[in-house]
Amino acid sequence: MLRHASRCVTRAATTTLRWRRPFSSDLQSEHVADPNFIEAWKKVIPNVEPPKTPSAFMATRPATPSSIPTKLTVNFVLPYSSELSGKEVDMVIIPATTGQMGVLPGHVATIAELKPGVLSVHEGNDVTKYFVSGGFAFVHANSFADIIAIEAVPVDRIDPNLVQKGLTEFTQKLSTASTDVEKAEAQIGVDVHSALNAALTG
């Protein structure tokens, strides 16, 4: 029984690779309708146009270049505004939940969850720092990065006195919390204000 296990694993791996769905960065730069689907549709319902798939409504993405570009193109958006749109930079450092992650041109396609911390945008000798409360970063294989944050503010606009006051208040709330909800809310406040404090002092 065990002698045949390796053959089954190999067969399963081959099947998985053959039928795997493509990553978004593997998709064609232009939408191409599936000819087999259209042919099957016209046989069943010849008088009705075939429906469009979600990818038909998406803006076309630039093709992955054969060589690594010199710049990383960054889109940095919030629910209420766009901080950076198509900005070409040298590097961004994002506060991922797994640790600080530097993204350069040619970075492997990645999705990273953000934690409260500092997002650094490097353009030559200029470094712009934002404090983000959380969100996601989508790094594409074509040297494009989309960063979506819930809240963000330039670090130089943060008031250190308010940060210390908030940290003290949430620490007291955490020590006196009696329910799980109160503890969770207080812990989030402590985490965010601790990260704010580290951004100002670090």
Side-chain angles (χ1 to χ4, degrees), residues 129-143:
K129 294 184 177 182
Y130 299 87
F131 181 84
V132 295
S133 62
F136 286 90
F138 302 87
V139 182
H140 308 288
N142 55 6
S143 294

Side-chain angles (χ1 to χ4, degrees), residues 38-51:
I38 292 174
E39 185 180 343
W41 179 275
K42 288 184 176 178
K43 284 180 183 176
V44 179
I45 314 174
N47 298 329
V48 178
E49 285 294 315

Side-chain angles (χ1 to χ4, degrees), residues 9-115:
V9 170
T10 305
R11 192 181 308 129
T14 306
T15 304
T16 303
L17 289 174
R18 191 185 315 138
W19 292 104
R20 77 169 180 84
R21 295 182 65 187
F23 289 114
S24 62
S25 54
D26 295 337
L27 298 176
Q28 297 161 329
S29 57
E30 293 183 10
H31 172 69
V32 178
D34 183 359
N36 294 330
F37 171 75
I38 292 174
E39 185 180 343
W41 179 275
K42 288 184 176 178
K43 284 180 183 176
V44 179
I45 314 174
N47 298 329
V48 178
E49 285 294 315
K52 292 184 177 180
T53 60
S55 59
F57 298 94
M58 295 173 64
T60 57
R61 177 179 296 146
T64 302
S66 56
S67 60
I68 296 176
T70 58
K71 296 287 185 179
L72 175 73
T73 304
V74 177
N75 298 305
F76 177 32
V77 295
L78 308 174
Y80 48 85
S81 68
S82 175
E83 293 293 321
L84 301 173
S85 179
K87 180 80 170 176
E88 291 190 342
V89 301
D90 296 314
M91 175 178 68
V92 293
I93 300 176
I94 62 174
T97 53
T98 53
Q100 292 291 100
M101 186 172 89
V103 180
L104 294 163
H107 195 284
V108 66
T110 306
I111 298 176
E113 184 180 359
L114 306 182
K115 66 179 180 181

Side-chain angles (χ1 to χ4, degrees), residues 159-172 193 197:
D159 187 341
N161 296 323
L162 290 177
V163 172
Q164 290 297 330
K165 181 181 176 184
L167 183 57
T168 303
E169 288 177 0
F170 280 106
T171 302
Q172 289 174 349
H193 283 80
N197 192 47

